[in-house]
Structure formats: structure tokens, C-alpha cells
Amino acid sequence: MNNTATKLTDAAWSKLETLSTMRRFIQSELDHSHSFPSGLSIQKFEQALHRIDGFSSDFSNFLAAKNVAASPDYLEEIFDELSYRYTALMQEIEGIIGK
């Protein structure tokens, strides 16, 4: 279990770091929102920040839960679901900031 938990923990931290970097980028863009071209929605950027914050909380909860005696299969199941949601979130954010 330790090996599985370690791998999942490392992967979760990596995803959290990516989310943190993305959050800093979006916040920086919002700080310069006065120069946004017309049609670019500030609300979408703010929504992306809220979604990142909420999702970061979910990953933090996973990291806390892995310290509880949980089976490796259960940890993998939770992590797989979080990874699926992470991918969807990153695609959503890419769509927001790519416009």
C-alpha cells in the first residue's frame, strides 16, 4: 500500500502545483483586466478561479484521506475520479483563457 499511496500522493501534489500555477496566471490576467479586449468575460476568469479553488480543496481532502488506513484500491478509485475531473477542469479553463 505504501508504494501505491506514495505514487498517488506524488501525482496529487503535481496536479495541485499545476492548479496553483494556473491560478496565479489567471489572477495575473484579472489584475490586468482593464486591458482585456471587448467580449472577453471577466466573470469567466473569476469563475475559473473559484473552480480551481474548489478543486484544489478536493485534492487536499484526498491527501488527508490517504493518511487514513484506506486500501490501495480505494485510493486509486478516488484518485482516478479526481484525475478525470481534473482533466475536464483543465480543458474548461483552456477554453476560457484561450479565447
Side-chain angles (χ1 to χ4, degrees), residues 2-99:
N2 192 10
N3 193 26
T4 298
T6 300
K7 287 179 183 179
L8 294 176
T9 298
D10 290 347
W13 276 114
S14 176
K15 290 180 186 313
L16 275 171
E17 288 175 21
T18 300
L19 287 171
S20 178
T21 299
M22 184 65 67
R23 191 190 195 296
R24 283 192 305 273
F25 171 78
I26 293 171
Q27 185 62 59
S28 176
E29 291 296 306
L30 276 173
D31 291 344
H32 299 95
S33 62
H34 60 280
S35 64
F36 278 6
S38 63
L40 192 58
S41 172
I42 292 172
Q43 290 80 18
K44 285 187 177 184
F45 278 72
E46 290 170 342
Q47 178 186 12
L49 289 178
H50 291 296
R51 300 252 303 126
I52 288 170
D53 291 344
F55 200 75
S56 295
S57 176
D58 291 345
F59 263 112
S60 295
N61 290 337
F62 167 78
L63 289 169
K66 69 100 181 141
N67 292 327
V68 178
S71 74
D73 292 338
Y74 179 70
L75 290 174
E76 285 182 286
E77 183 181 320
I78 293 172
F79 184 81
D80 288 346
E81 193 270 329
L82 285 171
S83 291
Y84 175 79
R85 290 179 40 221
Y86 170 86
T87 300
L89 174 63
M90 294 305 281
Q91 289 172 347
E92 178 184 337
I93 292 171
E94 184 179 307
I96 291 170
I97 64 174
K99 293 183 179 181

